Amino acid sequence: MDYKEGDRIRVEKGGTAYEGVVMPSVTGHIVLKMVSGYNVGIEPDGTEITFLEPKKEIQKPEKQGKVTKNKGLKNVVFISTGGTIASKIDYRSGAVSSQCSADDIVRTIPELDDIANIRGRVVANILSENMTPQIWTELARAVYEEIDNGADGIVIAHGTDTMMYSAAALAFMLDTPVPVVFVGSQRSADRPSSDNVMNAICATKVAVSDIAEVCTVMHESSSDDRCGIHYATRVRKMHTSRRDAFQSINSRPIGFVDYATGQITTESEYTARGETELALRDKIEPECAIVKFTPGARPEILGNYIDAGYKGIVIEGTGLGHVSTDWVPEIKRATQANIPIVIASQCLHGRVCDRVYDTGTDMLKAGAIEAEDMLSEVALVKLMCVLGQTSDLSEVRKLMQEKMANEIADCSLG
């Protein structure tokens, strides 16, 4: 039977019937989006297909509604980099389209219209695994420009897989007098359990608040009760698919947003709106890498990165920040070549301290720089940003061990 994408069909196979809209397929399977919002793939051999109805064409209204500015509300710019939270589903075709305008955002999540005057801007339209340091720079410049032009808050829609890298990058690249809020969605908008609406509403609440930090706002629990507000440099995605995947590490959250009431409660110190002068440091050194040490790993692994021309390297060491003694000469060789070697820990919690065991003291003598209690990915992003400002190794060492954006605690949580 002939059918095309967007048509509604029924497929029967092995005594089971599936009904839904035909979706694109690259594997040869019949892919349907069912009424539940979930997709199913069916091997075509041995199927009986019944045509139900053709694809429904979308009728565009003659005149699009405009977002009405409310003089009593703050102005928030919703910047999209891609990701499901900046998309909407057309159930008739199963297609996902990016929301590129304030009209689209408010029509999809009308509650935003009661929180702020929303204006949209697109910086990128990519899956977050395709994010790059170059796009971080473009994003930081866009945020700077919008704040400089009078925006009262920024919401950045971003895919969740690499959100913590981008958020950390902007925390190091920007001094902001207004909230800059990263938000994403773990479940796509076509799923009944989607978190996109709640996360967007809570993020916008933070964007009009007094919390002038670069931060992330995501579901705090598996229920639709509240979202957590996390420092950009202290958050990690801790689960592949749970809605409450984002958690603060080595730090308490800044606070929480109650979804039902919109009330914000805070647990940690934050920079208040208007306290900081807007500034941008948009130079970055992308040629940096993370190397994970494992038992028995040959020192040539580190040597290959040195010889490949990387400008800075973060090593994920064991425990307090250790590698085998065989790696120490390579650390010394890198330091002598003016390549900073930063030591982070594979442990999520606690602080690097290479002054306890002989190997650690040897690493420090070879020139290793302790990452304190930074997450390894935060140490990597910070190293990129620091090397964008200076290549002097002593200055790099000094800056890497200074708190710049809440990435280092004065004392580690027990």
Side-chain angles (χ1 to χ4, degrees), residues 162-408:
T162 63
M163 184 191 296
M164 55 278 193
Y165 289 88
S166 299
L170 261 66
F172 292 124
M173 297 171 81
L174 282 169
D175 294 334
T176 174
V178 305
V180 177
V181 187
F182 279 79
V183 67
S185 177
Q186 283 284 83
R187 310 274 174 87
S188 60
D190 58 328
R191 294 179 63 178
S193 60
S194 179
D195 52 339
N196 70 325
V197 171
M198 176 175 159
N199 290 352
I201 290 172
C202 290
T204 308
K205 283 286 188 181
V206 177
V208 299
S209 76
D210 196 42
I211 302 172
E213 298 278 356
V214 181
C215 59
T216 68
V217 172
M218 295 287 289
H219 255 63
E220 195 270 330
S221 72
S222 58
S223 300
D224 291 330
D225 50 3
R226 65 180 189 172
C227 283
I229 311 168
H230 308 278
Y231 293 115
T233 56
R234 287 296 193 175
V235 67
R236 177 179 268 196
K237 183 175 180 179
M238 299 295 289
H239 195 279
T240 58
S241 59
R242 283 178 62 105
R243 299 190 302 174
D244 58 347
F246 281 75
Q247 298 178 21
S248 288
I249 306 296
N250 277 330
S251 169
R252 293 181 179 86
I254 297 173
F256 303 95
V257 186
D258 185 276
Y259 181 46
T261 66
Q263 183 177 357
I264 294 176
T265 56
T266 59
E267 288 197 354
S268 300
E269 294 181 354
Y270 59 85
T271 303
R273 179 184 290 273
E275 283 187 359
T276 301
E277 186 175 343
L278 179 65
L280 173 66
R281 296 170 293 277
D282 59 357
K283 293 182 180 179
I284 195 167
E285 174 51 72
E287 295 301 318
C288 296
I290 293 179
V291 180
K292 187 167 186 171
F293 172 77
T294 58
R298 293 184 299 172
E300 289 84 359
I301 294 173
L302 178 58
N304 288 338
Y305 281 85
I306 298 169
D307 296 336
Y310 280 86
K311 307 301 184 184
I313 299 169
V314 175
I315 297 177
E316 275 195 1
T318 58
L320 291 168
H322 295 137
V323 296
S324 72
T325 54
D326 292 344
W327 281 47
V328 174
E330 290 297 328
I331 293 174
K332 185 175 183 179
R333 181 164 76 92
T335 302
Q336 290 174 339
N338 206 44
I339 301 170
I341 301 293
V342 178
I343 308 297
S345 176
Q346 294 169 23
C347 301
L348 291 182
H349 299 279
R351 205 176 200 94
V352 169
C353 182
D354 282 314
R355 295 170 177 81
V356 178
Y357 299 101
D358 288 345
T359 302
T361 58
D362 290 342
M363 292 166 63
L364 293 177
K365 290 176 182 177
I369 303 169
E370 294 171 311
E372 305 295 339
D373 63 340
M374 281 187 281
L375 292 166
S376 58
E377 61 266 30
V378 173
L380 173 70
V381 174
K382 183 177 181 179
L383 183 58
M384 290 178 171
C385 293
V386 167
L387 286 172
Q389 310 308 312
T390 180
S391 59
D392 180 81
L393 194 56
S394 61
E395 186 66 14
V396 170
R397 180 184 302 278
K398 175 176 174 289
L399 292 173
M400 286 301 297
Q401 296 185 309
E402 285 184 359
K403 181 165 69 173
M404 298 171 60
N406 298 301
E407 77 281 8
I408 298 173

Side-chain angles (χ1 to χ4, degrees), residues 75-77 119 146-154 178 273:
N75 299 315
V76 171
V77 179
R119 181 168 61 80
E146 295 295 347
I147 297 173
D148 194 43
N149 288 336
D152 297 309
I154 305 290
V178 305
R273 179 184 290 273

Side-chain angles (χ1 to χ4, degrees), residues 11-70:
V11 180
E12 297 182 49
K13 182 171 183 176
T16 303
Y18 307 90
E19 185 176 317
V21 174
V22 179
M23 295 285 286
S25 174
V26 296
T27 63
H29 291 77
I30 302 169
V31 179
L32 300 180
K33 180 173 292 296
M34 300 184 292
V35 175
S36 65
Y38 290 89
N39 295 349
V40 62
I42 308 160
E43 175 64 47
D45 292 342
T47 59
E48 292 186 14
I49 300 175
T50 304
F51 183 85
L52 299 178
E53 60 180 340
K55 174 182 178 180
K56 293 181 179 179
E57 298 298 330
I58 302 173
Q59 299 296 321
K60 294 184 178 180
E62 293 182 5
K63 186 176 181 180
Q64 296 286 343
K66 296 296 180 184
V67 177
T68 303
K69 266 200 169 186
N70 185 329

Side-chain angles (χ1 to χ4, degrees), residues 90-156:
D90 173 15
Y91 284 95
R92 292 165 292 186
S93 67
V96 178
S97 60
S98 179
Q99 294 177 339
C100 299
S101 72
D103 286 352
D104 289 332
I105 297 169
V106 173
R107 275 196 298 269
T108 306
I109 310 176
E111 295 91 340
L112 298 180
D113 202 20
D114 297 324
I115 304 172
N117 298 313
I118 307 290
R119 181 168 61 80
R121 175 169 177 169
V122 177
V123 169
N125 188 15
I126 59 172
L127 298 172
S128 72
E129 57 266 33
N130 294 322
M131 184 58 66
T132 66
Q134 175 59 40
I135 300 176
W136 294 342
T137 299
E138 295 171 12
L139 183 58
R141 289 171 179 168
V143 171
Y144 177 89
E145 179 182 303
E146 295 295 347
I147 297 173
D148 194 43
N149 288 336
D152 297 309
I154 305 290
V155 175
I156 300 172

